[in-house]
Structure formats: structure tokens, C-alpha cells
Amino acid sequence: MKEVTLKQIAENLGISITTVSKALKNYPDVSKKTKALVKEEAKKLHYKPNVFAVNLRTKQSKTVGLIIPEVVHHFFSSVVNGIIEHAEKKGYLVIILQSNESYKLEQKQIDLLISKRVDGIMISLASNSTDISHLQEVRDLNIPMVMFDKISKLIDCSKIIINDRKAAYVATKHLIDSGCKRIAHFRGALLPQNSIDRFLGYKKALEDHGIQYDPSLVYICERVDYKDGIEAAKKLMSEHDDIDGLFCITDLVAIGAISVFNDNGIKVPDDISIMGFSNWFISSAITPSLSTIDQPGYKMGKATFKTLLKEMKAKRKELPFKPITKVLETKLVVRNSTK
Amino acid sequence: MKEVTLKQIAENLGISITTVSKALKNYPDVSKKTKALVKEEAKKLHYKPNVFAVNLRTKQSKTVGLIIPEVVHHFFSSVVNGIIEHAEKKGYLVIILQSNESYKLEQKQIDLLISKRVDGIMISLASNSTDISHLQEVRDLNIPMVMFDKISKLIDCSKIIINDRKAAYVATKHLIDSGCKRIAHFRGALLPQNSIDRFLGYKKALEDHGIQYDPSLVYICERVDYKDGIEAAKKLMSEHDDIDGLFCITDLVAIGAISVFNDNGIKVPDDISIMGFSNWFISSAITPSLSTIDQPGYKMGKATFKTLLKEMKAKRKELPFKPITKVLETKLVVRNSTK
DNA sequence: TTAACAGCCGAAAACGTTTTCGATTTTTTA
DNA sequence: TAAAAAATCGAAAACGTTTTCGGCTGTTAA
């Protein structure tokens, strides 16, 4: 049971390997008759080109790499969804790696992808990635790369993002518009740009609407998850009793907070209005359903791959490529956790 | 700016390519002195082997394929997590494909993976995959394959599963033990084995405990999601008023049902006890928190890859490999939606 | 009749690695 | 000191494809 190769077909037909190869790829200097013959024989033998040889010869793998902080995560899995669907359509396969929010791992994985010779790399940074020499290496090797969501401004490459600051502004403004006067904010860790930007949007909205910014109303959620939300809410309750609005950096944090309020007889949204962020789909399934900002994960994945594709094409044709930055629209989603 | 190759190193050192190759791989017939020289030079030039050439020569890609019905799904993303983590440790990369529960797509993707010459394939079947000729092809080509969670009994390969029937039995028994007499079941579609097995477990538990099985208490949720849960719950409410227990095929269905009961003044668990299935982590975040069956996604991913690895190793050594079936333990998780 | 040309085909190099096997040198043994 | 054994190296084939370039045939134009 041997592999079917060009050689095999050539021998069967009594012609050269060259002609077989060219016939299968519709080169103009092969007669219609031979083309038909070759194609028929290829089909008969179930010929499939050996990708290993093709890769070696063409110097491309038709494979792209994707690094995300977490796989088990609604937003990122939506991005993955958008990416692999469009990649497959264009004949590319996707290798997925998870940095676990670790800078060290991220660095290793970049090396892995480079040594695997993927045609391009898509990455959303780990929160603690401040050193970016590994990313610079990708640029230096002239490997197409697109960053999305969690990006670094220090690297010159294409970027697909949302305007976190603006979105947070809209979220906070919605709380203000619905009558909230004392609005707390559960923010993320101090370093990640997302966390900073959302905080700044919150602050700006307050200031623009005549509400004094009060640092004691801002709580830090390091891991930005359900438990963080619970703890921050408990702390908030013990330290303040006049809060009527809360903007959380994540739906998950918001859900944690809601559960605390539910347990303590604080009515949402009557006593306190709550905004989440992401529109993780479970936010429509809790009680009360959560008002939030829709973060378009699928679209981001799609745009990320399409941009990478352009860059890969340009590279193959040895054309210059100017990195672009695309800002995707977010949407305010009003449900029952706000008035 | 040329690529660094073995040839390059050989020329620099005035020795042969063969020796360089062997030195880097610690062949015994290279002197310590040359080895040191070669390694030093390799490091100096940042030599990285060309995987394309290695693949061609060794006939393996050190890459495995993974096909799942859905990426944006808590259980499957947990499996993905378990797989890619352990694969990376062993030097394998993972290509992820999503069948979108479509048999047609699944078939194409298998072909894709075959033509990419992955070293092995892991797959959880689409619900409507009854024809399994594409899987048989994988077997025929002697490509290592492991099926997990949604499997087909007709294919002779390794399988990693849970005992759905037993788990459903435990879930239903928990309802019975806590005093429920009239227990409804929101099941999945008619075809998928999971759906059938969970239904059978439910039925068996009733029968074993002297409760008459009543077909009118079983509702079908085609898509097994939140909306299905809502609709089934509404229907249940309109058709029956004596239900005191409900076992749902999925946490998501259960959450949908709970929201309906919440809205209609039906107290959970006082009026009706509810069991989910999966222990999707949001189930601890809703009110009331959901009692459920823990389905070990991460462990399943880990076991799936490890089994595949064994099979790949056996193949390389041309040893026979006897497919195994591993049944992972599930756990009853009691929270506040049951008494 | 010759030159030019189009149409068709194949030899051969190249991609970069791995591995077999034989050659050469050095060391050990008798 | 000669023979045997060990240590070290390299030539070359192989993996299967793509592509350049030149050759051959037969037709057309001058």
C-alpha cells in the first residue's frame, strides 16, 4: 500500500513527472488531451499532493497561528469562531495556543509558531506582557502579524480593537441618563490597557455630566471574574450605602455583584442599576437580565483574519504593506439591570 | 538576509552537512569536539531546522487535528483547553476545526486534516453524523484517531466518554431522594446518543424507585439552549400543575427554565427542584445556584490527547495498538436548586 | 527552401533535512 | 609489528514537489 505520487501517475501514463505536475495545475504548455488523461488517472488513484513537499517547495504552510490568553472564555471563543470560519474558507488552518495570561508562555509560543513556519500570527496579549521583544522578533522576521483586543502600542503592526474608553463612556452615561447620581466602578487590574481605558471612560463620563469623581468608589478586580465581583460588591456594601449605580468591567463581575445584591435584599435596578461589559450571552439569562456593552467577538475574529490575509498576500507578491488599525463598533444593550 | 541551514553551518566550519546534522542530534559517531563546535556555531547563527524539510523527511508533522461541534461552548472549550495544554507539553500543536454540528462540514474537515497529514485526529461528532464513511477512511489510512464525548459505536477506535446514562440516573435519583414525586425531563433531540442515554437514565431511575414513567412529562429541546429551556418550561407550566422536580439535559436549558419559574412566582426549589447537567461554571452564579452533574471537560481533553499520543507512538514503532475506551467519572454537585 | 514560430514535452535543479553505508583514520590487541 | 577494532567522517540517496530552461516536432511566413 504505497503512497500515490506524481511519479506513480507519470509511470502509469508513460510521461514525465513534470508534465503530470503541470497538467494538474493547468499550465498552458500542456495539451488538453494529456491534461484530461492525467486528471483522470489522478482521480482514479485518489492522488493527493504531499503537503510536506509542497510546503518545502513553496515555502508556505497555509497555516496560521493564534495566541489567546484563555480558551474557556466567551469573548475569546467567539473570536476563535470568527477566525477559524473565515480561515477555512480561504484554505488556511489555524493552530491555537493559550498563553494563560502568562508572558513567559506567550514568548515560548511565539517561538513555537515561528519554528513551525506559520504564514502569519494573530495574537491577543497576556495582561502582563510589557516586554515585547518576542513580538518585535516576529516583525523583524517579516512574518505577517495582527494583534487584536489586547494590543501593544509599541509594536508597529495591524490592530483590530474596540474603543474601550468610548464604550465605557457610553455605559456610564447610560447609568447617568437613567438617573444615577453615585456611580461605583469595579475595574480590572492596573496594568492592562483595557482596564485603564474603561476606567478612563467611566471617569470622563462622570466629569462631563457634572458628577464629582470619587476614587473611593472604584474597586479593583484582579482576575475580573465572578468571585471578584462578589468580593468587591461585599466591600462596596460595607463601605458605602448611597450607591445607586455600578459599572463593572465585565459581565462576569457584574453577575457576581448582582448575586450579592440579590442575597442582601438590595433590588436591582430599583435600589442600584448595574452595567456589565461584553454582552456575554449568559447576561440575558440571569435575573435580572444584564444591561451591558456588546463587544463583537465574532466580527473581531473575522476582521483579524481578513487583515492578516491581506498582509500575507502582499508579502507573497513582495508588495509593501502598511499596517492598519480597525476600530469595531460596540453597542449599548439595555436590559433589566438598569432603569 | 538568507536562511540559516545545515549547509551554511557546514561551510562555515569546513565540514560536511552530514556531520553537522548528526552533531546537532547527538549521534554517537561524532566526536565531542566537533559536536561542541557545531552547536556553538548553530547557536551563534540562530539556526532553526526547517520544519518543512523535517516533515518531508520524517513523514510526520508533529501536529494533530481536533474537530468539535462548537467552539463557543463551555464544555467543548474546556476540552480544548485540556487538549492543547498537554499537546504543547509533548511538542504537538493542535489545529482546531468546528463542524457546526454539520455532517457535511465534518466530512470536509476530516479530508482537510488528512491532506494536511496531521499525525492524529481527535473528534467529537456532529449530532447528525450517522453516515460514518469519512471516519472509516481515517481508520483505513491507519491514522491514529480518538473520539470523545459524542462518539459512534460503529467505529473501532479509542474513545473517551462519560457514562451519560448513569450520570442521568444519579441526577434523577437525587431529585427522588430529596422528595420529588412528579419529575419532568427536558431532553435533547431524538438522535444524539447523549440525549438518548440521559433520557434512559432518567427513566430507569424512576422505575427503580417505584415512580411510574409518564411520557407526557418529557419535553424535547432540539437545540439544547437557553431559549429551548424557556419554551419547554412554559409548555410544561401550561400542561401540568403538579410537577415538583425537573431534570434538564443541560445547564443552559435548566437556567432557561429557572428564569421562567422565577418570573411566574414558582419557587425553586420549594415548589420545584431542578437539576442541570454539565456543571457549566455559570451554574454557580445564577440565583438560585444550580444543582447539576459535573462533566469533566478538562480531564476529557487531557485523556483524549494522552490516548492519541499512545496510539501515535505505537504507530511510529509499528507496534499493534488496541483501541481503548475510557469512561470518566462524573460527580453530583448539589447546590440550591434542589432540596 | 529556409527561417521563424507556436505548441508540447522533459531533464534537471532546487527546497533542507535524515540516514545508510562505506571510507578513512586512530587506537587497541595479539 | 601486524591485524583487528573502534572512532570519526562524508558521499549520496531519498522524501515529493515546483519551475526554469532548453529541445523537439510540426506549422506558417518570407
Side-chain angles (χ1 to χ4, degrees), chain A residues 6 18 21 27 47 50 57:
Chain A
L6 292 181
T18 310
S21 173
Y27 270 55
Y47 168 75
N50 182 322
R57 188 50 228 240

Side-chain angles (χ1 to χ4, degrees), chain B residues 6 21 27 47 50 57:
Chain B
L6 292 182
S21 173
Y27 270 56
Y47 168 74
N50 181 321
R57 188 50 228 237

Side-chain angles (χ1 to χ4, degrees), chain B residues 5-25 30 38 47:
Chain B
T5 66
L6 292 182
K7 191 176 169 190
Q8 181 67 246
I9 299 177
E11 278 171 6
N12 285 11
L13 260 39
I15 60 181
S16 78
I17 295 176
T18 309
T19 306
V20 175
S21 173
K22 288 200 278 200
L24 289 174
K25 313 193 82 195
V30 177
V38 169
Y47 168 74

Side-chain angles (χ1 to χ4, degrees), chain A residues 32-50:
Chain A
K32 291 198 172 146
K33 215 167 63 179
T34 7
K35 272 183 191 169
L37 273 172
V38 169
K39 284 177 182 172
E40 195 194 9
E41 185 73 11
K43 182 165 276 176
K44 207 178 83 190
L45 301 183
H46 300 113
Y47 168 75
K48 283 188 187 170
N50 182 322

Side-chain angles (χ1 to χ4, degrees), chain B residues 291-304:
Chain B
S291 295
T292 187
I293 295 291
D294 184 65
Q295 198 181 358
Y298 181 86
K299 272 187 192 164
M300 187 173 279
K302 175 176 168 180
T304 299

Side-chain angles (χ1 to χ4, degrees), chain B residues 171-306:
Chain B
T172 310
K173 183 167 181 302
H174 170 62
L175 288 171
I176 296 170
D177 288 348
S178 68
C180 300
K181 304 287 182 199
R182 285 280 281 172
I183 302 176
H185 176 38
F186 289 176
R187 64 165 292 170
L190 292 176
L191 237 88
Q193 198 60 44
N194 291 6
S195 169
I196 295 172
D197 285 336
R198 291 181 198 173
F199 163 70
L200 290 176
Y202 155 79
K203 197 171 157 205
K204 184 81 179 346
L206 295 186
E207 287 163 354
D208 283 2
H209 293 82
I211 301 182
Q212 173 84 36
Y213 162 63
D214 177 355
S216 81
L217 298 186
V218 175
Y219 293 80
I220 294 183
C221 297
E222 281 294 338
R223 304 184 42 86
V224 184
D225 63 6
Y226 177 65
K227 281 191 182 163
D228 274 355
I230 290 182
E231 276 166 33
K234 285 182 181 166
K235 214 165 166 193
L236 175 70
M237 279 178 49
S238 72
E239 292 176 1
H240 297 274
D241 59 358
D242 58 345
I243 306 300
D244 57 5
L246 169 62
F247 167 46
C248 297
I249 185 171
T250 302
D251 286 347
L252 223 48
V253 169
I255 292 174
I258 287 181
S259 78
V260 170
F261 296 141
N262 276 346
D263 290 352
N264 287 273
I266 300 178
K267 296 248 179 303
V268 178
D270 296 332
D271 300 332
I272 182 169
S273 291
I274 299 187
M275 280 291 307
F277 199 108
S278 270
N279 196 23
W280 190 24
F281 93 121
I282 200 67
S283 47
S284 65
I286 58 162
T287 313
S289 59
L290 184 66
S291 295
T292 187
I293 295 291
D294 184 65
Q295 198 181 358
Y298 181 86
K299 272 187 192 164
M300 187 173 279
K302 175 176 168 180
T304 299
F305 178 75
K306 292 212 157 183

